[in-house]
Amino acid sequence: MGVGLYTHCFLPTSSTIPLRSNSFLFNPFTKSLQTHLPKKPANFSIAQASKCSGVEEMETHQGNSMSLIVDPHKIDPQLLQKMEYDALVWSSLHGLLVGDRNSQISGTVPGVGMVHAPFSLLPMPFPESHWKQACQIAPIFNELVDRVSLDGKFLQDSLSRTKKVDAFTYRLLGIHSKMLDAKKIEEIRLGLHRSDYMLDEQTKLLLQIELNTISSSSFALGCLVSELHRSLLHQYKQYLALNPERIPQNNAFTQFAEALSKAWSEYNNPRAVVMVVVQTEERNMYDQHWLCTTLKERYPFETYQVTSIKKTLAEIDALGELLPDGTLVVDGEVVAVVYFRAGYGPRDYPSESEWRARLLMEQSSAIKCPSIAYHLAGTKKIQQELAKPNVLERFLENKDDIVNIRKCFAGLWSLEDSNIVNDAIEKPGLYVMKPQREGGGNNIYGDDVRETLLRIEKEGSEENAAYILMQRIFPALFPAILVRQGISQKHHVVSELGINAAYLRNKTKVIINEECGYLMRTKVSSSDEGGVIAGTGVLDSIYLV
Amino acid sequence: MGVGLYTHCFLPTSSTIPLRSNSFLFNPFTKSLQTHLPKKPANFSIAQASKCSGVEEMETHQGNSMSLIVDPHKIDPQLLQKMEYDALVWSSLHGLLVGDRNSQISGTVPGVGMVHAPFSLLPMPFPESHWKQACQIAPIFNELVDRVSLDGKFLQDSLSRTKKVDAFTYRLLGIHSKMLDAKKIEEIRLGLHRSDYMLDEQTKLLLQIELNTISSSSFALGCLVSELHRSLLHQYKQYLALNPERIPQNNAFTQFAEALSKAWSEYNNPRAVVMVVVQTEERNMYDQHWLCTTLKERYPFETYQVTSIKKTLAEIDALGELLPDGTLVVDGEVVAVVYFRAGYGPRDYPSESEWRARLLMEQSSAIKCPSIAYHLAGTKKIQQELAKPNVLERFLENKDDIVNIRKCFAGLWSLEDSNIVNDAIEKPGLYVMKPQREGGGNNIYGDDVRETLLRIEKEGSEENAAYILMQRIFPALFPAILVRQGISQKHHVVSELGINAAYLRNKTKVIINEECGYLMRTKVSSSDEGGVIAGTGVLDSIYLV
């Protein structure tokens, strides 16, 4: 689903918004202050420090007076320039890259037309308790997706109205239906998911934006940004009131590679490969390359390697075949695992060829990440269905799990609920209209919500099935410095925390069910498609002062 | 001196030249065959192997018949495409980068307009004995440069005619002369050198092309290419008759960083910085960034870091000052070490400002890498003077050292030697005319040698002092695949082996005098300015078959 998923909040011009009042509270815990206090570096220049405006004076236990910056907008311009330069250098040397849109071939040929991935210069603060909450429920969501995927009737029934107005859902359901008819069983099931959250400022609730069960991306770049931030915070510790030790560990891509390799092992054919389903052009290719490289290097000196091949849906249609025993062979290679980094939206299926490829893979014995059922379980309509009373109870037994999952559900409603529709017409600012369509940038906010709802009501069409209504989330704003195309700009941004999670099971047991690092992203406004990858958060007790 | 130093051999169209007959001899040593034999990988596909044309059948001691490729031009196109792709991905993820000429700002802003550094897909073979010879004499050359640098009169006298016709040498000598007059003593002396060699095919002699005492570059990229080759050879060991273990270790940039940091320590001011003198635009910036990053990360958790700053000569003129005690302060920072990655050629001195900066640095107590005397000791004229009978003996005592150094001297003559000039007019193909000017691309070959010599003779000018004559070296040709801008091409190339070396001493003792890795480069023809960085060699007993 790419990185373009910041679709939840609409912000007026950032400069008109006051900072969150308690954004940069002093940490009251003396212990942590003692622990994280940076030593005065030998080459620390008083002249340099005094250049920094907007700093906080801190009286340490040693009685030294140190000036540490808490607001990134108040970093002295010269110091900022140094930090930006160092961050850009770090990105280049450590593969924090994307293909540059200004280069025509940068989406097809690696190694040319590269530019650093966009990033926030410093990590975004996030409360530790909410962070932990998001991590702890990741395995429950994994389990939930798995259970939902096994209930073919639930998926078909829940999406029965959606498919009438959404051609893409219709085609997915068609394949799913064929699998049900054929009584196809996926014994080995692999999910590489990402659940996205925002923290509602007023209620202090961690609320789920969506659960991505297909093609969740940028996890490798996210890990790299975490490392970049750790490196910068170490290097500039004499100036910044940020503690590098408080940046959570982020091993998303090694853990995802581990999950893929374990799935590959389960398939139990050492000659088989992992096939990455890719788009024809992919400027986020380095994120994928990190995963495949890590996968390959897991057994560098063994007698075999987990080889991955990349194919588009059209290539799979042209080069793929199903052996009588269900083995998927593409371009002469037996495929153990199909890993989708394409195929999540209608644009990836320009002709019947791509749909044939999707069906072929689904019919095969290859492990699909995701299967068609996992894919459907991640749709917005299913998210909304699961939020209805007593639905979670159909899939989960443990009451605590149900409570914990439900706690992070935002208000989610079908457009068949006339009370809610009327309320949304009256107070459109409190709602978001989300189309079934995947990928960011399609959501409807503000007065457009009212207008769209009124039009649908008037036309009396089935179009209402194409949308769900969701409670509008208002996260806190933070000052940030966003770096894109080598240029940095000051903004006030909101953050979205994505928690990655892997799930793998075979016929008899769950092999992996774990949280796998995170992708923290920032966004200036809803028009800022995809936002900037911040890549890391820092827990809120990071501040040293 | 950049990477543009392939100035020695002129090749006719490569395709018309037959391959060196013994280029890919089978290795007769059964022992090495046994040691390096790759295991048959579990996912080795017979179908894949049989696709490879131009392979050699090998009967192993285990009785398996394996087909391993020895000639890169005979790699099956599909396999080649895979290897190229993997190499490009590797380059991107591991910082094997340069600024792209197609991007306007890629020489000034890091992180934008990046493209992989050009490389040869596979390492170039080189005889182990000659490789060792080049490594062993590196410390002697270091010592020689140091001794020559102390003999101000020798430098001034040797270059006295050159300076009349070469304005750049004139200016350098002017600064040098001022230092002599002021009795300026450099107690701490740091050299980061590279001695370039070619192997003459007919005589099997390792002959020195030149000794770079200023701004020798690309050592970091060279190390990365070594790693790239090691990685590719591991990955494709089932297809290639090349043993990754035979690629010599290459730690050039960590060793150079070590030398810089030790020099910094010798300066003994923990608040001082290393100043890198840079060009205004530098597309080879990532090579420099690797060095500075390594330097910085040497003491990541200590109370100080070796900080480096980058300044152009014009900036140094504008922001630099000399304190009464000789301390160099630039932009408010005390400079411990001046490391030149600019200033080696006349183009870096467009105005008097740059010359003022050079003088300012030379007058200071900062450690210069190189000092003006080290710079002059690396000029072509001095190279030619040192090759005269009994000159080495003025600087070195150890007879073995003298023999070993002299062994790698090619024929080098002044244009005052009329016998040689006449011979060169008669047989211009056996000579190269080298102008005093630094940087590649200025050498004169073939019939142009005759014409230039005749013109100078006719004009009777002093212009002959601007050149030296050197024996033409004819190295062996090897088939290679060169990758540039994401595109690979088959060529026959010659290789140039550069051996890096570091030297550091203070008033009382030599602290470092060692060989520091290598830079192996390939070249298609003399017009191929800068050539391709092959980055690594493999010792000639690499072949498995």
Side-chain angles (χ1 to χ4, degrees):
Chain A
M1 307 232 200
V3 287
L5 296 172
Y6 281 103
T7 51
H8 245 74
C9 61
F10 184 85
L11 303 176
T13 315
S14 56
S15 59
T16 65
I17 294 183
L19 274 189
R20 182 190 180 189
S21 59
N22 62 345
S23 293
F24 296 105
L25 282 181
F26 280 23
N27 183 336
F29 303 107
T30 324
K31 187 162 173 290
S32 113
L33 189 151
Q34 275 184 306
T35 315
H36 301 310
L37 198 71
K39 292 180 231 168
K40 190 176 177 186
N43 65 344
F44 179 82
S45 143
I46 299 298
Q48 286 173 321
S50 66
K51 281 183 191 168
C52 309
S53 62
V55 297
E56 301 289 344
E57 285 292 318
M58 178 175 70
E59 194 68 27
T60 72
H61 280 234
Q62 288 77 32
N64 299 325
S65 177
M66 293 273 294
S67 303
L68 296 176
I69 300 159
V70 285
D71 179 350
H73 286 189
K74 292 187 174 160
I75 299 175
D76 168 78
Q78 258 191 305
L79 178 62
L80 187 61
Q81 207 182 358
K82 270 189 189 178
M83 290 175 66
E84 287 162 20
Y85 192 93
D86 285 343
L88 288 170
V89 168
W90 194 100
S91 307
S92 318
L93 302 187
H94 295 85
L96 178 53
L97 305 172
V98 291
D100 190 342
R101 278 170 206 217
N102 300 318
S103 159
Q104 221 181 341
I105 57 168
S106 68
T108 48
V109 183
V112 300
M114 293 174 282
V115 63
H116 72 90
F119 58 84
S120 134
L121 188 64
L122 292 170
M124 295 290 110
F126 207 90
E128 185 165 6
S129 57
H130 289 102
W131 190 295
K132 282 187 176 159
Q133 183 193 345
C135 292
Q136 280 160 1
I137 56 179
I140 315 174
F141 270 117
N142 278 345
E143 198 63 49
L144 178 63
V145 168
D146 193 63
R147 302 283 178 90
V148 168
S149 80
L150 297 175
D151 192 338
K153 191 168 176 316
F154 172 74
L155 288 172
Q156 288 282 339
D157 289 351
S158 303
L159 292 161
S160 59
R161 286 195 68 237
T162 311
K163 78 175 180 186
K164 292 186 187 164
V165 289
D166 186 81
F168 182 63
T169 306
Y170 176 82
R171 296 301 300 254
L172 293 179
L173 279 175
I175 295 174
H176 181 247
S177 181
K178 275 201 178 92
M179 296 306 111
L180 290 179
D181 294 347
K183 300 197 175 3
K184 176 91 164 56
I185 292 169
E186 300 295 330
E187 283 182 348
I188 307 167
R189 302 192 290 278
L190 172 65
L192 298 177
H193 304 146
R194 192 186 70 231
S195 183
D196 290 331
Y197 304 91
M198 279 186 171
L199 184 61
D200 189 60
E201 172 64 349
Q202 206 172 4
T203 60
K204 305 291 181 212
L205 288 175
L206 181 83
L207 296 176
Q208 189 185 41
I209 306 298
E210 67 179 343
L211 177 62
N212 303 283
T213 57
I214 182 167
S215 300
S216 76
S217 76
S218 297
F219 46 83
L221 299 188
C223 293
L224 291 170
V225 180
S226 298
E227 282 310 307
L228 162 64
H229 286 166
R230 204 169 279 125
S231 160
L232 277 181
L233 263 50
H234 267 298
Q235 192 182 342
Y236 292 95
K237 61 186 171 190
Q238 64 262 53
Y239 306 114
L240 302 173
L242 296 165
N243 181 353
E245 311 299 327
R246 298 286 295 166
I247 294 174
Q249 277 302 319
N250 198 358
N251 303 315
F253 73 100
T254 49
Q255 285 180 275
F256 273 12
E258 171 89 13
L260 279 167
S261 73
K262 281 201 174 153
W264 175 84
S265 295
E266 284 295 314
Y267 189 81
N268 201 22
N269 176 350
R271 285 156 202 244
V273 300
V274 171
M275 178 170 74
V276 185
V277 183
V278 295
Q279 294 181 330
T280 319
E281 272 197 291
E282 175 62 270
R283 297 214 148 80
N284 198 13
M285 65 163 76
Y286 301 100
D287 184 59
Q288 297 177 10
H289 291 319
W290 272 117
L291 183 72
C292 295
T293 297
T294 309
L295 192 60
K296 185 171 75 186
E297 288 176 356
R298 272 185 56 77
Y299 309 102
F301 300 108
E302 299 290 323
T303 47
Y304 58 81
Q305 285 187 322
V306 185
T307 304
S308 57
I309 59 171
K310 290 186 177 58
K311 298 289 169 200
T312 62
L313 286 167
E315 284 169 341
I316 294 163
D317 181 46
L319 304 168
E321 58 172 328
L322 218 53
L323 302 189
D325 68 349
T327 300
L328 177 63
V329 178
V330 178
D331 201 11
E333 308 271 11
V334 172
V335 177
V337 182
V338 181
Y339 170 55
F340 286 87
R341 287 297 285 258
Y344 51 81
R347 269 189 295 191
D348 289 341
Y349 300 83
S351 75
E352 281 304 305
S353 166
E354 288 78 14
W355 284 112
R356 276 197 302 271
R358 182 74 191 257
L359 178 63
L360 183 83
M361 292 184 284
E362 201 61 32
Q363 287 169 326
S364 79
S365 64
I367 300 162
K368 274 79 67 181
C369 179
S371 66
I372 198 92
Y374 267 47
H375 185 172
L376 291 169
T379 55
K380 295 194 182 72
K381 181 63 192 171
I382 296 299
Q383 183 187 10
Q384 180 251 309
E385 284 291 320
L386 290 170
K388 282 184 180 170
N390 302 317
V391 179
L392 277 183
E393 284 76 358
R394 287 174 60 179
F395 301 104
L396 299 171
E397 298 89 32
N398 186 306
K399 286 192 178 163
D400 288 345
D401 286 352
I402 294 171
V403 169
N404 288 331
I405 284 267
R406 192 164 277 146
K407 216 187 275 175
C408 75
F409 281 170
L412 286 156
W413 306 274
S414 148
L415 266 64
E416 291 168 89
D417 184 334
S418 58
N419 286 339
I420 290 294
V421 169
N422 289 337
D423 194 58
I425 289 170
E426 208 170 306
K427 291 169 275 185
L430 299 181
Y431 293 86
V432 184
M433 267 183 88
K434 298 182 109 182
Q436 181 52 40
R437 185 96 44 86
E438 292 300 328
N442 301 312
N443 293 350
I444 299 170
Y445 300 90
D447 287 345
D448 292 343
V449 170
R450 176 188 288 130
E451 278 166 37
T452 312
L453 289 173
L454 286 172
R455 183 178 56 73
I456 292 174
E457 256 191 359
K458 194 175 160 193
E459 289 172 5
S461 75
E462 296 249 31
E463 199 192 338
N464 65 356
Y467 294 94
I468 62 163
L469 270 170
M470 186 162 165
Q471 163 198 353
R472 178 88 173 268
I473 302 168
F474 295 95
L477 280 171
F478 287 96
I481 292 168
L482 306 186
V483 188
R484 285 182 269 209
Q485 292 277 348
I487 296 161
S488 72
Q489 283 191 305
K490 290 178 182 176
H491 290 285
H492 289 110
V493 301
V494 294
S495 298
E496 183 169 322
L497 174 63
I499 298 291
N500 300 307
Y503 184 86
L504 174 66
R505 63 161 299 145
N506 61 20
K507 199 173 174 178
T508 57
K509 63 177 189 301
V510 174
I511 298 157
I512 299 174
N513 184 10
E514 62 187 14
E515 167 260 318
C516 299
Y518 55 93
L519 177 68
M520 177 72 114
R521 292 174 298 168
T522 62
K523 186 190 184 186
V524 177
S525 79
S526 68
S527 64
D528 187 14
E529 170 77 18
V532 155
I533 302 163
T536 200
V538 290
L539 306 180
D540 57 352
S541 46
I542 187 175
Y543 299 111
L544 294 163
V545 290
Chain B
M1 306 229 200
V3 286
L5 296 171
Y6 281 103
T7 52
H8 245 75
C9 59
F10 185 85
L11 302 176
T13 315
S14 56
S15 58
T16 64
I17 294 183
L19 273 189
R20 181 191 182 188
S21 59
N22 62 346
S23 294
F24 297 107
L25 282 181
F26 280 22
N27 181 336
F29 303 107
T30 324
K31 189 162 174 288
S32 114
L33 189 149
Q34 274 184 307
T35 313
H36 301 310
L37 197 70
K39 292 181 229 167
K40 189 176 179 189
N43 65 345
F44 179 81
S45 142
I46 298 299
Q48 287 172 320
S50 66
K51 282 183 189 168
C52 310
S53 62
V55 296
E56 300 291 344
E57 284 293 319
M58 178 176 70
E59 193 69 28
T60 71
H61 280 234
Q62 287 76 29
N64 300 324
S65 177
M66 294 272 295
S67 303
L68 296 176
I69 301 158
V70 285
D71 179 350
H73 287 190
K74 292 188 176 160
I75 299 175
D76 168 77
Q78 258 191 306
L79 178 63
L80 187 62
Q81 206 180 359
K82 270 190 193 179
M83 290 175 66
E84 287 161 21
Y85 193 92
D86 285 343
L88 288 170
V89 168
W90 194 99
S91 306
S92 318
L93 302 187
H94 296 85
L96 179 53
L97 305 173
V98 292
D100 190 343
R101 278 170 207 215
N102 300 317
S103 160
Q104 221 181 344
I105 56 168
S106 69
T108 48
V109 182
V112 301
M114 293 174 281
V115 63
H116 71 92
F119 57 85
S120 133
L121 188 65
L122 293 170
M124 295 290 110
F126 207 92
E128 185 165 6
S129 57
H130 290 102
W131 192 294
K132 281 187 177 160
Q133 182 194 346
C135 292
Q136 280 160 0
I137 55 178
I140 315 173
F141 270 116
N142 279 344
E143 199 62 48
L144 178 63
V145 168
D146 193 63
R147 304 281 179 91
V148 168
S149 80
L150 297 175
D151 192 338
K153 191 170 176 313
F154 171 74
L155 288 172
Q156 289 281 340
D157 289 352
S158 302
L159 292 161
S160 60
R161 285 196 70 240
T162 310
K163 78 174 179 185
K164 291 187 188 161
V165 289
D166 185 80
F168 182 64
T169 306
Y170 176 81
R171 296 301 300 254
L172 292 179
L173 279 174
I175 294 174
H176 181 248
S177 182
K178 275 202 179 89
M179 297 306 110
L180 290 178
D181 293 346
K183 300 198 177 358
K184 176 89 164 58
I185 292 169
E186 300 294 331
E187 283 183 347
I188 307 168
R189 302 192 289 276
L190 171 66
L192 298 177
H193 304 146
R194 193 186 68 231
S195 184
D196 292 329
Y197 303 92
M198 279 186 170
L199 183 60
D200 190 60
E201 172 64 350
Q202 206 172 7
T203 60
K204 303 293 181 214
L205 289 174
L206 181 82
L207 296 176
Q208 189 184 42
I209 305 299
E210 67 179 342
L211 178 62
N212 302 284
T213 57
I214 182 167
S215 301
S216 77
S217 77
S218 298
F219 45 82
L221 299 187
C223 292
L224 291 170
V225 180
S226 297
E227 282 310 305
L228 161 64
H229 286 166
R230 203 170 279 124
S231 160
L232 276 180
L233 263 50
H234 267 297
Q235 193 183 342
Y236 291 95
K237 60 186 171 188
Q238 65 263 53
Y239 307 114
L240 301 173
L242 296 166
N243 180 356
E245 311 299 327
R246 298 286 295 168
I247 295 175
Q249 276 304 317
N250 198 357
N251 302 316
F253 72 101
T254 49
Q255 284 179 276
F256 272 13
E258 171 90 13
L260 279 167
S261 73
K262 281 200 176 154
W264 175 85
S265 295
E266 283 295 314
Y267 189 80
N268 201 22
N269 177 350
R271 285 155 204 246
V273 301
V274 171
M275 179 171 73
V276 185
V277 183
V278 295
Q279 294 180 331
T280 319
E281 272 197 290
E282 176 61 271
R283 297 216 148 78
N284 197 13
M285 65 163 79
Y286 302 100
D287 184 58
Q288 296 178 10
H289 290 319
W290 272 117
L291 182 72
C292 295
T293 297
T294 309
L295 191 60
K296 184 171 76 186
E297 288 175 356
R298 271 185 55 77
Y299 309 103
F301 301 108
E302 300 290 322
T303 46
Y304 59 80
Q305 285 186 322
V306 184
T307 304
S308 57
I309 59 172
K310 292 186 174 61
K311 298 288 170 200
T312 62
L313 287 167
E315 283 168 342
I316 294 162
D317 181 45
L319 305 168
E321 58 172 329
L322 218 54
L323 302 189
D325 68 349
T327 301
L328 177 64
V329 178
V330 178
D331 202 11
E333 309 269 11
V334 172
V335 178
V337 182
V338 181
Y339 170 56
F340 286 85
R341 286 297 284 259
Y344 50 82
R347 269 189 295 190
D348 289 340
Y349 301 82
S351 75
E352 281 305 305
S353 167
E354 289 77 15
W355 284 112
R356 276 196 303 270
R358 183 72 191 257
L359 177 63
L360 184 84
M361 292 184 284
E362 201 62 30
Q363 288 169 325
S364 79
S365 64
I367 300 162
K368 274 77 70 182
C369 179
S371 66
I372 199 93
Y374 267 47
H375 184 171
L376 291 169
T379 55
K380 295 195 181 69
K381 180 64 191 170
I382 297 299
Q383 183 187 10
Q384 180 249 308
E385 284 292 321
L386 290 170
K388 282 184 180 171
N390 303 317
V391 179
L392 277 183
E393 284 76 358
R394 288 174 58 180
F395 301 103
L396 299 172
E397 299 88 31
N398 185 307
K399 287 192 179 161
D400 287 344
D401 286 352
I402 294 171
V403 169
N404 288 331
I405 284 267
R406 191 164 276 144
K407 213 187 277 176
C408 74
F409 283 170
L412 285 156
W413 306 273
S414 148
L415 266 64
E416 293 167 271
D417 185 335
S418 57
N419 286 339
I420 289 293
V421 169
N422 289 337
D423 195 57
I425 288 169
E426 209 171 305
K427 293 170 270 183
L430 298 181
Y431 293 86
V432 184
M433 267 182 89
K434 298 182 108 184
Q436 180 54 37
R437 184 97 43 86
E438 291 302 328
N442 302 311
N443 293 349
I444 298 170
Y445 300 89
D447 287 344
D448 292 342
V449 171
R450 175 188 288 129
E451 279 166 36
T452 313
L453 289 173
L454 287 172
R455 182 177 58 73
I456 293 174
E457 255 190 1
K458 195 175 161 194
E459 291 171 5
S461 75
E462 297 250 30
E463 198 192 337
N464 64 357
Y467 295 92
I468 62 164
L469 270 170
M470 185 163 167
Q471 161 196 351
R472 176 88 174 269
I473 302 169
F474 295 94
L477 279 172
F478 287 96
I481 293 169
L482 305 186
V483 188
R484 283 181 271 208
Q485 293 277 348
I487 295 161
S488 71
Q489 283 191 303
K490 290 179 182 176
H491 290 285
H492 288 110
V493 301
V494 295
S495 298
E496 182 169 321
L497 174 64
I499 297 292
N500 300 306
Y503 184 86
L504 174 67
R505 64 162 298 145
N506 61 20
K507 197 172 176 179
T508 57
K509 65 177 188 300
V510 174
I511 298 158
I512 299 174
N513 185 11
E514 62 187 14
E515 167 260 321
C516 301
Y518 54 93
L519 177 67
M520 177 73 113
R521 292 173 298 167
T522 62
K523 186 186 183 186
V524 177
S525 80
S526 69
S527 64
D528 186 14
E529 169 78 18
V532 156
I533 302 163
T536 199
V538 289
L539 306 179
D540 59 351
S541 46
I542 186 174
Y543 299 111
L544 293 163
V545 291

